Amino acid sequence: MAAERQRYVEHRPGGDTSCLHLVEGARPQPAPRDVLIRVAYAGVNRPDVLQRSGKYPLPPDASPLLGLEVSGEIVALGDQVEQWQLGDRICALTPGGGYAEYCVAPAEHCLPIPQGMSLLEAAALPETYFTVWTNVFERGRLQPGETLLVHGGSSGIGLTAIQLAKQFGAGVFTTVSNAQKAEACRQAGADRVINYRDEDFVEVLTQATDGRGVDVILDMVGGDYMPRNLQSLAVEGRLVQIAFLEGSRLEIDAMPIMRRRLTLTGSTLRPRSRQQKAAIAGAVRENVWPLLEQGLCRPVIHAHFPLANVAEAHQLMESSRHIGKIMLEVAP
């Protein structure tokens, strides 16, 4: 029946953006503890690009379709779901499948739309805010009065980390590649923005902290940033790695880890268990949702594209010209 069909984005693993196509197929159905969402907007994230390129192995329970976060309306409930009702407007962290008119998500990975926020903005929250919360505040243990360095400050992750760190009383340094991105980070609350094309972040941090270093570094670059990050950490500092855009294999001198009692940690969100993601969702709802509803934090949307123009969205992501989030408009 036509009512059981949907449009979604199909891709061939290992392809460039030309492998992305809008096709028609069966509408998914929720399992007992899942909900079915009629998607309004979906976020475009770096793991989507890696998956399309064949460089992101999927967890066993993941959807083969792209799309890790959505906003929309619940149109069907699994028979064990009690916390949501048909017609509820929510945003959700999904196990894939967000680039579609209908998407299934675990009920406990859904959150209500923050008061005063649009569906477009809400779809930009789950992947980014879950990632920042669990890495900066849980793994990185950032405390009021400490200092944080955010690499890639103008990304969706970066701008979120800057805003949340400031709201929780930390000082923030960040690195960017140009003046426009630097201004966006200053507007988000960064205390000192470092253009890495003109300045050495190690030297800047050494001078700005009187040689002490920063308490936490959130890094998505890797490569030769690793030894420089270690050099930039204070005693008892924590380096949190969430991606390796410049490679994960390198040789470092590990002696600073022992001398200054440093912690190297990191995580990826998608492979974590259903229960772990539910715990993150609960922490984000408790600690971050009030800030969003008070307007103290806000996702920065760079651009949104119709679902049929998904290739353009991926090309923009790969260019790194964007500031903030890239979104897909499905059925607002």
Side-chain angles (χ1 to χ4, degrees), residues 162-213:
I162 292 168
Q163 292 182 66
L164 287 181
K166 291 301 294 181
Q167 288 302 317
F168 284 93
V172 180
F173 298 87
T174 190
T175 58
V176 297
S177 62
N178 61 49
Q180 185 180 12
K181 292 182 176 183
E183 181 57 28
C185 291
R186 280 189 284 268
Q187 291 181 10
D191 298 293
R192 175 67 161 88
V193 182
I194 304 162
N195 185 331
Y196 64 79
R197 299 187 188 279
D198 302 325
E199 299 178 290
D200 184 318
F201 73 81
V202 178
E203 294 179 0
V204 171
L205 294 175
T206 299
Q207 295 174 5
T209 64
D210 294 325
R212 178 183 179 276

Side-chain angles (χ1 to χ4, degrees), residues 10 63 77 89 97 128 181 210 239 261 291 330:
E10 181 184 64
S63 166
L77 301 167
R89 287 154 54 96
T128 301
K181 292 182 176 183
D210 294 325
L239 170 60
R261 302 183 298 282
L291 300 176
V330 183

Side-chain angles (χ1 to χ4, degrees), residues 11 25 34 42 46 48 71 81 116 124 161-162 189 209 230 236 254 272-273:
H11 76 288
D34 295 344
R46 189 71 63 173
D48 300 336
S71 67
V81 175
I162 292 168
T209 64
L230 296 180
E236 304 282 359
R272 298 183 76 167
S273 72

Side-chain angles (χ1 to χ4, degrees), residues 15-321:
D16 59 21
T17 57
S18 66
C19 79
L20 296 165
H21 298 287
L22 195 59
V23 300
E24 186 176 294
R27 183 185 303 182
Q29 297 300 317
R33 295 189 295 139
D34 295 344
V35 300
L36 180 65
I37 304 162
R38 182 163 56 224
V39 178
Y41 293 92
V44 176
N45 293 285
R46 189 71 63 173
D48 300 336
V49 173
L50 294 174
Q51 182 180 335
R52 187 211 75 218
S53 303
K55 301 174 183 177
Y56 194 94
L58 297 182
D61 59 346
S63 166
L65 303 184
L66 301 173
L68 300 175
E69 59 184 349
V70 300
S71 67
E73 178 184 345
I74 294 177
V75 294
L77 301 167
D79 58 19
Q80 296 180 22
V81 175
E82 299 179 350
Q83 65 267 55
W84 301 107
Q85 302 295 323
L86 294 177
D88 283 346
R89 287 154 54 96
I90 52 89
C91 58
L93 185 76
T94 77
Y99 290 14
E101 292 179 318
Y102 293 86
C103 178
V104 167
E108 63 269 36
H109 299 172
C110 300
L111 291 170
I113 305 296
Q115 185 176 356
M117 189 164 287
S118 68
L119 284 166
L120 172 61
E121 291 175 304
L125 299 177
E127 175 74 12
T128 301
Y129 277 78
F130 280 40
T131 296
V132 170
W133 180 262
T134 190
N135 284 289
V136 174
F137 296 96
E138 293 182 343
R139 305 196 71 80
R141 309 186 306 279
L142 183 68
Q143 300 296 314
E146 290 190 327
T147 49
L148 169 70
L149 169 64
V150 181
H151 287 302
S154 64
S155 65
I157 293 285
L159 291 169
T160 298
I162 292 168
Q163 292 182 66
L164 287 181
K166 291 301 294 181
Q167 288 302 317
F168 284 93
V172 180
F173 298 87
T174 190
T175 58
V176 297
S177 62
N178 61 49
Q180 185 180 12
K181 292 182 176 183
E183 181 57 28
C185 291
R186 280 189 284 268
Q187 291 181 10
D191 298 293
R192 175 67 161 88
V193 182
I194 304 162
N195 185 331
Y196 64 79
R197 299 187 188 279
D198 302 325
E199 299 178 290
D200 184 318
F201 73 81
V202 178
E203 294 179 0
V204 171
L205 294 175
T206 299
Q207 295 174 5
T209 64
D210 294 325
R212 178 183 179 276
V214 295
D215 297 290
V216 180
I217 297 177
L218 181 67
D219 184 36
M220 57 193 79
V221 180
D224 66 5
Y225 270 36
M226 178 71 79
R228 299 167 68 198
N229 284 333
L230 296 180
Q231 190 178 348
S232 301
L233 283 169
V235 172
E236 304 282 359
R238 290 83 74 192
L239 170 60
V240 187
Q241 202 74 42
I242 59 171
F244 290 99
L245 296 178
E246 297 297 330
S248 60
R249 295 182 179 273
L250 68 157
E251 183 176 315
I252 62 169
D253 178 2
M255 188 59 70
I257 300 172
M258 297 170 59
R259 285 202 311 266
R260 302 206 306 281
R261 302 183 298 282
L262 306 180
T263 298
L264 274 64
T265 184
S267 72
T268 55
L269 185 59
R270 195 172 190 183
R272 298 183 76 167
S273 72
R274 182 171 180 140
Q275 293 76 18
Q276 288 172 329
K277 292 175 187 176
I280 297 169
V284 168
R285 184 169 185 176
E286 178 182 352
N287 294 286
V288 176
W289 246 234
L291 300 176
L292 293 167
E293 293 185 334
Q294 295 171 56
L296 298 174
C297 295
R298 210 83 187 182
V300 177
I301 310 294
H302 180 90
H304 63 278
F305 298 84
L307 186 62
N309 292 8
V310 60
E312 294 180 44
H314 273 228
Q315 288 164 7
L316 178 59
M317 173 66 76
E318 291 178 309
S319 76
S320 295
R321 297 192 311 269

